[in-house]
Amino acid sequence: MVEGRISPRLSTSLPVLLQFPESDVPEGWGRILDLSMSGVRVETRWNLKIGQVVYITFVPQSEMRLDNLRARVVRFTWEDGYFVGGLVFDESVDQAYLREVLMYLVSR
Amino acid sequence: MRQVLIIAPTPSVRDYLVNVSQQAGIVAEGIESYPAGIAQLEKDPPVLVVLENPLKDEDISKLTESLRLHAPVTPFIVYLPERNGELALRRMAQGAYDCLVPPVSAGDFLAAGKRAVSRVGRRLITDKTLLPPAWWRRPSLYVYAFLAMMAVLLGTGLYQWFTSTYRVYRLSSEHPTAVCGVQNEVWVTDWFQQILSRFRVKGGYLALEDMVKWGDFQPVAVAAAPYYVYTASADGHIRRHRRDENLPVVASVSSPGSAPSGLTWDGKTLWSCDSDTKKVYEHDNQLGVKNSFECPAQVPVGLAWHKDTLWIADGGDLPVLWRMVYKGSGFSSDGPYPLTIARKYKDLKISGFTIWKGRAWLVNETGRVLIQHKMPKGKN
């Protein structure tokens, strides 16, 4: 059963690098539309698949970079040439650092 | 009027992007240098800027500054010479809405352009529509596939419903002896209960409309005419009833044989069959015998006219139908025509038969069912 994100979401428009380890296309990019402690919603022109593992990298500010956060695609829709997908973070993601990033984005 | 400004110092890249833009149905203008492009957008701001990846970051900075001052609602997209995630991330962090890499399809160009301008509340005007790059990945495809599958299943079910060889309806009657179709109703007699039941066929079941009970005879055959109903009874009589509420008897004659088993009305004349004499009788207006004919059935239990052909139901060892065609001097018969339902109901013994709405209707001597059966195709 797919679970929706249960933590509050922060709307944003951050550029994001997407890496697809199990795909013919190794990387792509897009934008994070919203972010929470449990996952992100992204838009991208690169194909998404349900259950796909994606490593995401984004830079909320110049001294703050989150590299290769492991996530999994849990849903997506296709909107006029873009895939808008929901990705849920893996347990390996550093929750403390993620919280710090969210705090920073909220305060901006 | 051009909507897109393409700033690309490399001629091949410029021509390429202008061509792609045209394929996407968008009017674009190609500019060969960043300074010229910036000057152009200051003079006549476009809806969208597409920029060949600059070699220097300061070119991006000048462009973004110019856009901020002169075209604050004009987004820009960067064309990269090859896929490079880090470079794309950097360009997007510098203000590009998205980055395109070769090969750029008209769909990619249109999608990125429309998305970028829609974010600032504007739109690109084009008559082209977007197709998904990987159509099989569209989530709605699975919905459509499911709906198509349901439609196929429903269609198959409906097809079988309407074209099935037979359909069985439950009857409460334990001794049905005759059936006839009257307009929108089907009538069934029960000799033991001495009743005639009138039903409406509603989908897969029978809705009882009315019932008439006779106390003094046991009906074994029934036929309906415009003003009268005719019955044959186990005591060897044929009766004429007025078509009133209780079907009162207005005439009664002895049947030509001792075991009348079927009656039918051809529009002008009453016909009957007898399971003892194994004959078919044509009656006159006084219910006397006008003509008689040999019948091919082992045990004729019902008869019905259908398209100038007289069909006889056989209640003998095998439940079959016989066909009799009138040819001037008499009838020629052919058959037997087996009934497919006999494969399922091995002990089927027909006790009553009629043809109504193009289908054969039969009742079973062992009771409880009314069978609607596809008419067999007669040989010429």
Side-chain angles (χ1 to χ4, degrees):
Chain A
M1 188 179 83
V2 172
E3 293 179 0
R5 280 187 281 158
I6 54 173
S7 43
R9 304 179 188 186
L10 176 70
S11 292
T12 181
S13 184
L14 283 172
V16 61
L17 174 63
L18 307 168
Q19 286 166 304
F20 311 109
E22 298 162 358
S23 171
D24 296 337
V25 173
E27 66 176 10
W29 48 84
R31 285 187 175 273
I32 294 175
L33 300 178
D34 63 55
L35 172 67
S36 71
M37 291 294 295
S38 56
V40 290
R41 190 163 63 99
V42 300
E43 67 171 25
T44 175
R45 286 182 299 104
W46 308 95
N47 292 349
L48 296 177
K49 282 190 293 189
I50 300 291
Q52 183 181 29
V53 171
V54 183
Y55 291 91
I56 68 173
T57 297
F58 62 99
V59 183
Q61 63 152 338
S62 54
E63 291 93 31
M64 192 181 270
R65 179 181 167 109
L66 285 87
D67 268 304
N68 297 322
L69 302 184
R70 193 172 190 273
R72 193 175 291 273
V73 179
V74 294
R75 71 182 73 84
F76 70 89
T77 57
W78 188 83
E79 296 176 8
D80 285 338
Y82 276 73
F83 289 87
V84 179
L87 281 66
V88 172
F89 289 132
D90 208 68
E91 300 85 29
S92 60
V93 169
D94 187 338
Q95 295 283 311
Y97 195 31
L98 196 57
R99 188 175 298 111
E100 192 181 325
V101 166
L102 276 166
M103 296 289 288
Y104 164 76
L105 287 171
V106 166
S107 63
R108 227 169 40 160
Chain B
M1 181 189 123
R2 61 114 170 91
Q3 300 181 77
V4 177
L5 191 65
I6 295 174
I7 304 175
T10 308
S12 58
V13 171
R14 187 169 66 248
D15 293 341
Y16 175 65
L17 292 174
V18 170
N19 187 39
V20 169
S21 176
Q22 284 173 350
Q23 288 174 30
I26 300 169
V27 177
E29 180 185 357
I31 303 289
E32 71 275 10
S33 72
Y34 301 114
I38 290 171
Q40 188 69 297
L41 74 87
E42 287 175 4
K43 191 168 68 175
D44 182 15
V47 177
L48 173 72
V49 172
V50 178
L51 189 69
E52 180 185 356
N53 181 53
L55 295 175
K56 296 178 282 186
D57 282 353
E58 67 178 78
D59 288 326
I60 286 273
S61 303
K62 286 178 183 169
L63 175 78
T64 53
E65 184 60 22
S66 179
L67 283 172
R68 187 182 68 81
L69 291 170
H70 303 285
V73 291
T74 297
F76 71 97
I77 292 172
V78 173
Y79 172 80
L80 302 177
E82 60 185 13
R83 194 206 317 265
N84 184 325
E86 286 292 346
L87 181 57
L89 194 63
R90 190 156 104 236
R91 292 292 180 242
M92 289 169 74
Q94 289 171 322
Y97 188 81
D98 201 347
C99 295
L100 297 171
V101 293
V104 180
S105 67
D108 291 336
F109 190 96
L110 190 56
K114 286 179 88 168
R115 196 84 170 179
V117 303
S118 71
R119 286 290 179 258
V120 290
R122 304 176 81 183
R123 60 191 201 100
L124 277 176
I125 304 202
T126 173
D127 59 355
K128 302 294 181 190
T129 52
L130 284 161
L131 292 174
W135 60 268
W136 60 88
R137 294 181 192 277
R138 292 185 71 176
S140 58
L141 183 69
Y142 299 100
V143 175
Y144 296 145
F146 175 75
L147 290 174
M149 185 183 72
M150 294 307 293
V152 166
L153 287 173
L154 183 64
T156 305
L158 286 173
Y159 177 77
Q160 287 183 348
W161 175 265
F162 286 109
T163 63
S164 61
T165 311
Y166 61 83
R167 192 172 300 154
V168 177
Y169 300 89
R170 291 290 158 206
L171 276 179
S172 60
S173 172
E174 291 186 356
H175 305 280
T177 47
V179 55
C180 78
V182 184
Q183 294 172 336
N184 292 327
E185 294 179 347
V186 61
W187 295 4
V188 177
T189 61
D190 183 306
W191 74 267
F192 184 75
Q193 296 181 61
Q194 298 172 279
I195 59 173
L196 178 140
S197 305
R198 291 165 45 196
F199 299 97
R200 271 190 191 267
V201 179
K202 293 195 173 183
Y205 69 95
L206 299 173
L208 180 66
E209 295 284 316
D210 200 1
M211 196 182 288
V212 174
K213 185 168 173 62
W214 297 294
D216 53 352
F217 67 92
Q218 291 148 329
V220 295
V222 65
Y227 302 104
Y228 300 106
V229 172
Y230 296 92
T231 59
S233 58
D235 61 357
H237 280 81
I238 294 177
R239 290 174 174 81
R240 176 186 281 143
H241 306 254
R242 196 168 58 243
R243 277 184 75 161
D244 286 343
E245 191 177 333
N246 294 317
L247 300 177
V249 177
V250 297
S252 176
V253 300
S254 295
S255 57
S258 61
S261 54
L263 289 171
T264 190
W265 177 261
D266 71 358
K268 291 188 299 186
T269 306
L270 183 70
W271 296 71
S272 70
C273 63
D274 192 287
S275 58
D276 183 44
T277 62
K278 299 187 192 352
K279 285 190 174 179
V280 170
Y281 301 97
E282 181 184 3
H283 295 269
D284 57 31
N285 288 341
Q286 286 74 42
L287 300 180
V289 174
K290 189 172 163 185
N291 279 306
S292 66
F293 308 95
E294 293 296 326
C295 170
Q298 182 187 7
V299 181
V301 292
L303 71 175
W305 279 97
H306 180 60
K307 294 180 183 176
D308 300 325
T309 300
L310 184 63
W311 289 82
I312 315 285
D314 196 334
D317 296 330
L318 290 173
V320 296
L321 298 180
W322 295 89
R323 208 169 72 113
M324 291 174 68
V325 181
Y326 191 75
K327 290 188 179 192
S329 57
F331 282 99
S332 70
S333 57
D334 78 286
Y337 294 89
L339 299 169
T340 56
I341 193 172
R343 288 182 222 146
K344 185 177 176 185
Y345 289 85
K346 300 266 189 256
D347 60 347
L348 176 68
K349 279 258 189 247
I350 306 173
S351 56
F353 161 75
T354 192
I355 298 173
W356 179 56
K357 297 197 176 187
R359 306 275 282 192
W361 294 77
L362 312 139
V363 284
N364 186 12
E365 186 179 282
T366 51
R368 302 249 183 233
V369 293
L370 171 66
I371 299 164
Q372 183 207 113
H373 203 287
K374 191 174 178 179
M375 283 297 295
K377 282 188 174 22
K379 301 161 200 155
N380 290 331

